């Protein structure tokens, strides 16, 4: 947006848009190249999933979040913070999201046969663009059927931005998926705009406290107050609450003392390949 403003301001004098601002040109080219590469990432099998544990009070792993990674042939690892927004803009997120979901569900199905893993929930991030596709529900159901993954173990992570527009449509889709057993978690909670009244009407199972509040918890009273309120809200709505971005014992102790019983963060394990999950070896 800032880019566009600059763009138009420069051109405005001559009543034309300049494509020759050199800095802009470089940035647009870099972006176009990244976008072209991203288009090839799926067919070239450059995407992979990492998994991060979610733990309960005594550190026992109760779930896992799947996080997509892009291994670019020249640039190395590109962060999802960089390519997911790009994929959302150009709709590639639909294909990428389907790949993520299918890969995750294949894993989930494998865990059923493994006593050390079959209790785990698997959380998958779903972007608003992907969720708003007309056939999203059918796609998820088809993937569950094809992979034979247990729907009750699948947790879709959605963000508050999903409910800014067409919220009744979003709710209806959630209800349909809920009928199949799929669970929902509200990711990055507290950073977006949520109508609390509407929250009550959504078939949610979990609130995820955004990591920015957890990070500042011990140094900033406002963050501490927000976290305490989210925990209280979750309790009164009968939702599970997970704190994300837990990095220190002190943060975990504070959270535990305030009634939060699920944690995710570097303290318990960084996202990594499946084999690195802190779980007993597969039997
Ligand atoms: P998110 O879903 O909120 O995921 C949590 C992010 O926090 C992850 O970043 C994770 O690596 C990071 N994290 C976990 N514990 C800690 C901690 O203790 N400290 C710090 N500083 N960070 C921690 P990541 O993997 O870079 O992903 C960033 C975002 O990209 C995700 O945020 C999610 O919004 C999006 N994303 C990732 N994978 C997917 C995907 O498959 N589909 C979609 N639509 N979005 C995805
Ligand atoms: Mg997430
Ligand atoms: Mg989050
Ligand atoms: Mg996030």
């Amino acid at each position: 947006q800032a880019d566009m403003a600059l763009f138009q301001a420069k051109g405005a004098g001559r009543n034309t848009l300049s494509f020759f601002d050199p800095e802009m040109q470089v940035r647009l080219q870099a972006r176009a190249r990244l976008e072209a590469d991203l288009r090839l990432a799926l067919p070239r099998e450059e995407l992979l999933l990492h998994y991060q544990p979610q733990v309960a009070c005594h550190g026992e792993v109760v779930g896992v979040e799947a996080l997509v990674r892009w291994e670019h042939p020249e640039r190395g690892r590109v962060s999802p913070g960089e390519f997911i927004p790009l994929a959302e803009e150009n709709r590639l997120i639909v294909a990428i999201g389907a790949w993520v979901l299918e890969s995750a569900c294949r894993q989930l199905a494998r865990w059923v046969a493994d006593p050390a893993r079959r209790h785990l929930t698997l959380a998958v991030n779903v972007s608003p663009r992907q969720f708003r596709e007309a056939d999203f529900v059918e796609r998820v159901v088809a993937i569950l059927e094809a992979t034979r993954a247990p729907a009750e173990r699948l947790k879709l992570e959605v963000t508050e931005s999903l409910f800014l527009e067409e919220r009744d449509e979003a709710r209806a889709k959630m209800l349909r998926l809920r009928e199949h057993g799929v669970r929902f978690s509200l990711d990055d909670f507290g950073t977006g705009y949520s109508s609390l009244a509407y929250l009550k009407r959504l078939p949610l199972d979990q609130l995820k406290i955004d990591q920015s509040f957890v990070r500042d918890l011990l140094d900033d009273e406002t963050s501490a107050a927000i976290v305490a309120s989210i925990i209280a809200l979750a309790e009164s709505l009968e939702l599970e609450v997970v704190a994300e971005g837990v990095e220190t014992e002190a943060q975990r102790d504070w959270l535990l003392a305030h009634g939060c019983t699920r944690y995710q963060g570097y303290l318990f394990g960084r996202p990594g390949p499946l084999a690195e999950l802190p779980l007993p070896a597969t039997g």
Side-chain angles (χ1 to χ4, degrees):
Q1 220 118 47
D3 287 357
M4 272 323 278
L6 173 69
F7 208 63
Q8 278 161 356
K10 293 229 163 175
R14 281 157 289 160
N15 207 12
T16 170
L17 290 182
S18 167
F19 283 89
F20 296 102
D21 177 324
E23 222 176 283
M24 174 76 60
Q25 186 80 354
V26 168
R27 249 182 299 160
L28 286 176
Q29 272 169 359
R31 198 192 141 92
R33 208 172 312 127
L34 193 65
E35 194 173 330
D37 288 351
L38 187 55
R39 223 168 269 286
L40 296 171
L42 267 183
R44 287 182 179 166
E45 301 184 21
E46 293 165 1
L47 298 183
L48 62 142
L49 290 184
H50 273 180
Y51 298 85
Q52 186 179 31
Q54 300 174 329
V55 308
C57 293
H58 301 289
E60 62 278 29
V61 179
V62 290
V64 171
E65 179 175 6
L67 294 155
V68 71
R69 297 290 179 257
W70 180 15
E71 204 68 69
H72 189 285
E74 289 114 39
R75 300 170 43 137
R77 185 80 42 85
V78 183
S79 142
E82 194 174 343
F83 74 84
I84 291 290
L86 189 65
E88 271 172 40
E89 279 171 46
N90 62 22
R91 235 185 129 252
L92 273 173
I93 193 64
V94 177
I96 293 174
W99 179 86
V100 167
L101 202 57
E102 193 177 333
S103 309
C105 284
R106 241 182 279 126
Q107 225 21 271
L108 199 50
R110 279 190 207 117
W111 288 345
V112 172
D114 181 348
R117 284 164 184 72
R118 63 170 153 241
H119 64 288
L120 298 175
T121 57
L122 183 52
V124 175
N125 294 281
V126 176
S127 86
R129 183 83 185 250
Q130 184 189 353
F131 196 96
R132 289 201 185 102
E133 285 288 294
D135 64 349
F136 180 73
V137 173
E138 288 76 10
R139 266 186 181 236
V140 174
V141 172
I143 288 171
L144 284 169
E145 282 170 1
T147 59
R148 298 169 175 252
E152 320 72 52
R153 301 269 154 218
L154 179 64
K155 195 169 274 176
L156 299 183
E157 294 197 358
V158 296
T159 52
E160 291 165 89
S161 57
L162 181 61
F163 308 103
L164 285 180
E165 314 160 27
E166 300 174 26
R167 49 159 66 165
D168 293 327
E169 283 86 339
R171 175 175 176 266
K173 283 183 179 173
M174 287 173 79
L175 287 168
R176 284 170 60 206
L177 283 166
R178 194 75 181 83
E179 271 170 37
H180 287 272
V182 176
R183 316 278 170 96
F184 288 94
S185 176
L186 196 51
D187 203 354
D188 306 339
F189 187 68
T191 58
Y193 160 88
S194 270
S195 148
L196 297 186
Y198 196 75
L199 206 58
K200 218 180 108 179
R201 300 185 54 222
L202 296 174
L204 288 171
D205 299 276
Q206 185 182 74
L207 294 182
K208 271 187 110 165
I209 306 171
D210 189 66
Q211 58 185 58
S212 61
F213 304 121
V214 176
R215 194 207 312 121
D216 299 339
L217 192 58
L218 300 166
D219 317 304
D220 169 34
E221 281 176 28
T222 311
S223 294
I226 291 170
V227 173
S229 316
I230 296 175
I231 295 169
L233 177 70
E235 202 164 288
S236 69
L237 293 176
E238 293 177 49
L239 300 175
E240 190 179 273
V241 64
V242 189
E244 62 178 10
V246 181
E247 295 185 355
T248 67
E249 300 274 358
Q251 289 167 342
R252 197 269 318 270
D253 293 346
W254 190 100
L255 288 160
L256 180 62
H258 287 79
C260 179
T261 55
R262 294 277 186 278
Y263 322 92
Q264 184 178 347
Y266 295 167
L267 179 64
F268 306 99
R270 290 182 178 252
L274 208 55
E276 288 172 19
L277 275 176
L279 285 166
T282 305

